[in-house]
Amino acid sequence: MKIGIANDHAATQLKNTIMEYLQGEGYEVVNFGTNSLESFDYPVAAETLANAVASGEVEFGIAICGTGVGISIACNKVKGIRACVCSDTTSAKLTRLHNNANIICFGARIVGEELAKDLVDTFLETSFTHDERHQRRIDMITDIENRQYKA
């Protein structure tokens, strides 16, 4: 499975840890973030990652900034993206089960390395339920996107 990862300067070290971990687990990881600790604007990395997920270049995305919030907001501006901020494994599981999220976001200043690994594992190992009520809600979100993105 091919996974995209994006980060800002606050999350460079955690991004590197997660990349190394995922590669050790056999995933192919594409780095869309910065490798520097110098100030870097998270919307740039978020848009690049979200476009890669939306186009199918990568199957899922991981987005990390200081809190996870800013980068998730930026990811969600791309049509077809359902990015979620998670700081617990229950949220990581339910966002896949119920929302069919395609990008997980978390904060390098909020979660530690081991929790971040658990969040990623839970997210990647959980499948969407395809229950009618959940699909109906995702379809409603898609309808909102389609109305917003009319030319």
Side-chain angles (χ1 to χ4, degrees):
M1 183 183 302
K2 195 172 184 181
I3 307 298
I5 194 164
N7 64 290
D8 70 356
H9 59 281
T12 298
Q13 290 175 319
L14 183 56
K15 184 266 312 260
N16 290 335
T17 298
I18 296 301
M19 281 185 65
E20 199 173 291
Y21 172 72
L22 288 172
Q23 289 164 340
E25 294 293 310
Y27 292 98
E28 181 181 352
V29 183
V30 180
N31 181 7
F32 295 107
T34 184
N35 292 315
S36 174
L37 299 177
E38 298 292 319
S39 182
F40 182 83
D41 296 325
Y42 60 80
V44 174
E47 182 179 18
T48 305
L49 170 65
N51 282 328
V53 172
S55 73
E57 178 184 342
V58 297
E59 192 167 339
F60 292 106
I62 300 165
I64 317 167
C65 67
T67 63
V69 175
I71 204 163
S72 71
I73 292 169
C75 285
N76 278 312
K77 296 299 180 183
V78 173
K79 185 177 180 179
I81 295 302
R82 290 175 304 282
C84 60
V85 180
C86 296
S87 56
D88 63 87
T89 55
T90 300
S91 295
K93 180 178 182 176
L94 292 175
T95 196
R96 285 287 305 128
L97 279 172
H98 296 176
N99 308 114
N100 200 15
N102 46 22
I103 298 178
I104 186 170
C105 309
F106 46 86
R109 295 178 180 139
I110 307 300
V111 303
E113 290 181 3
E114 294 307 311
L115 178 54
K117 291 175 189 176
D118 288 344
L119 292 171
V120 168
D121 283 342
T122 301
F123 185 81
L124 295 176
E125 294 168 3
T126 303
S127 297
F128 178 54
T129 65
H130 295 280
D131 287 352
E132 185 277 329
R133 67 188 168 123
H134 298 304
Q135 184 60 58
R136 181 180 70 246
R137 293 168 185 153
I138 292 168
D139 292 343
M140 292 169 78
I141 293 168
T142 301
D143 288 345
I144 293 169
E145 283 182 335
N146 289 336
R147 288 192 305 271
Q148 294 297 312
Y149 289 99
K150 283 186 178 178

